[in-house]
């Protein structure tokens, strides 16, 4: 996203933020506290394939001058559906966090990550890649000074993000975190993810690329080799900045974010090529194999199979007399919130569905393809 050349307006004050309606974060039922190796491995498998997560860390505070924190003691990752809190008190938890931090494809978006990077590198000893400091992104867009998640939420959503200083300075190294600590930690990461998605949706064609990566360093030359070589005249090297890794846009959560439990998969389409473009480019499905003949030998009609997250749909070119109307498919699923955010963030001119209450309870999102077929995603 290009840096803005025009300064933005002043940031909202504390008094102005206090008057805003509350920001709805993750409740305790959507927070996973990872405290043992089995939970850590399951959490790693759920997160490692994602393109982006919200990110933050917490450390036990130090109160005396000269004390050095031995944290972080808690590392938080957040999706739109869940917050994952890793307590770094078992080898399995530490290995899982190391793997997530080392991933170059998983963007970890948060605020004030320079200090987090150094603490993580010192504590865990492994590489840290693809951290995205959202405060830096907002500064490059022309906002007048640094901001945290609380100010960013007020600025972008017009809502009040609750943060308790008492909880923020509590003991994050204790074996059993309180419910208030869990909500505080998870929503710091969740709020960062929501800010990332809002910034990306504002410029869907320009993925955020300001990844925070450490500067490249050259290993020191052995003393004997240095002594054997004559001194060289110093020369001026051009100053360069390490290229940031291209990061995937927030518009494409992976198939693992969506879970389909049941489908009814026969859809009539009068133009298979157009249908395939819609399902692949707009809805993110994949084509399973080449299109095949739909009728007897010599029949020009074809059919193809597309799939995503366990949902398999047959796209069939029927005879004209069979095209009496579009089909309707109910898809019982998990991950509806993430799918809705993905479709909106894609920025498609027409495909901007809403989420409503399903007749039997739960959430319902209806997507209609170019041929009148209705896909009704339902989550209880």
């Amino acid at each position: 996203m290009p840096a803005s050349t025009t300064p933005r307006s002043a940031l909202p004050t504390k008094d102005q933020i206090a008057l805003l309606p509350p920001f709805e974060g993750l409740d305790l039922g959507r927070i996973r506290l990872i405290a043992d190796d089995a939970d850590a491995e399951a959490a790693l498998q759920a997160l490692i394939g994602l393109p982006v997560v919200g990110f933050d860390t917490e450390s036990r505070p130090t109160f005396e001058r000269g004390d050095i924190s031995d944290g972080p003691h808690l590392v938080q990752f957040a999706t739109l559906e869940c917050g994952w809190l890793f307590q770094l008190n078992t080898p399995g938890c530490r290995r899982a966090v190391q793997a997530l931090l080392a991933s170059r494809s998983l963007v970890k978006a948060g605020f004030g990550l320079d200090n987090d990077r150094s603490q993580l590198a010192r504590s865990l000893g492994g590489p840290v890649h693809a951290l995205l400091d959202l405060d830096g992104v907002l500064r490059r867009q022309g906002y007048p000074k640094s901001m945290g998640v609380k100010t960013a939420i007020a600025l972008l959503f017009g809502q009040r993000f609750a943060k308790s200083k008492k909880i923020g300075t509590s003991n994050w190294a204790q074996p059993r975190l309180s419910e208030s600590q869990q909500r505080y930690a998870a929503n710091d990461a969740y709020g960062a993810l929501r800010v990332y998605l809002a910034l990306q949706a504002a410029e869907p064609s320009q993925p955020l690329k300001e990844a925070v990566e450490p500067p490249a360093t050259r290993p020191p030359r052995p003393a004997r080799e240095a002594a054997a070589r004559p001194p060289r005249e110093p020369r001026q090297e051009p100053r360069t900045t390490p290229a940031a890794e291209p990061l995937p846009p927030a518009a494409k959560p992976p198939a693992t974010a969506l879970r389909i439990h049941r489908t009814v998969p026969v859809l009539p389409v009068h133009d298979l090529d157009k249908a395939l473009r819609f399902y692949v480019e707009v809805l993110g499905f994949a084509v399973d194999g080449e299109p095949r003949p739909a009728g007897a030998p010599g029949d020009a009609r074809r059919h193809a199979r597309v799939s995503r997250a366990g949902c398999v749909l047959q796209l069939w070119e029927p005879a004209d007399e069979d095209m009496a109307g579009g089909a309707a498919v109910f898809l019982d699923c998990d991950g509806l919130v993430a799918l809705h955010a993905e479709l909106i963030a894609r920025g498609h001119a027409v495909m901007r569905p809403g989420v409503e209450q399903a007749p039997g309870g739960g959430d319902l999102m209806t997507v209609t393809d170019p041929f009148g077929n209705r896909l009704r995603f339902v989550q209880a």
Side-chain angles (χ1 to χ4, degrees), residues 347-365:
H348 192 273
V350 177
M351 186 49 54
R352 302 182 67 83
V355 177
E356 58 186 319
Q357 184 174 356
D363 295 326
L364 168 66
M365 180 180 74

Side-chain angles (χ1 to χ4, degrees), residues 32-33 73 99 121 153 200 217 225 229 240 253 255-256 276 286 318-319 341:
R32 304 288 181 265
L33 186 61
H73 300 96
I153 291 290
Q200 184 61 72
T217 58
E225 179 186 352
R229 295 186 179 182
T240 60
T256 53
L276 290 175

Side-chain angles (χ1 to χ4, degrees), residues 55-57 108-116 132-138 146-153 156 188-189 191-196 199:
F55 178 75
D56 199 15
T57 68
K108 281 74 70 173
F111 287 87
L113 298 186
D114 281 338
N115 187 53
D116 289 323
L132 181 68
D133 195 325
L134 296 170
D135 178 64
V137 174
L138 289 163
S146 297
M147 70 179 84
V149 63
K150 184 174 182 178
T151 303
I153 291 290
L156 297 176
D188 262 0
L193 177 63
R194 291 289 303 276
V195 170
Y196 175 98
L199 292 173

Side-chain angles (χ1 to χ4, degrees), residues 74-160:
L74 186 72
V75 179
Q76 305 102 270
F77 301 89
T79 66
L80 285 173
E81 298 168 322
C82 186
W84 309 80
L85 310 183
F86 287 81
Q87 292 183 290
L88 302 182
N89 50 13
T90 73
C93 288
R94 295 173 69 87
R95 284 194 300 269
V97 171
Q98 283 177 319
L100 293 167
L101 293 175
S103 172
R104 293 180 182 273
S105 61
L106 174 63
V107 180
K108 281 74 70 173
F111 287 87
L113 298 186
D114 281 338
N115 187 53
D116 289 323
R117 173 189 291 283
S118 60
Q119 284 190 329
L120 289 165
R122 182 180 67 247
S123 175
L124 298 176
V128 180
H129 295 299
L131 292 188
L132 181 68
D133 195 325
L134 296 170
D135 178 64
V137 174
L138 289 163
R139 287 292 299 276
R140 282 183 284 275
Q141 290 188 5
Y143 289 100
K145 59 182 180 179
S146 297
M147 70 179 84
V149 63
K150 184 174 182 178
T151 303
I153 291 290
L155 183 71
L156 297 176
F157 298 100
Q159 296 175 344
R160 183 182 74 256

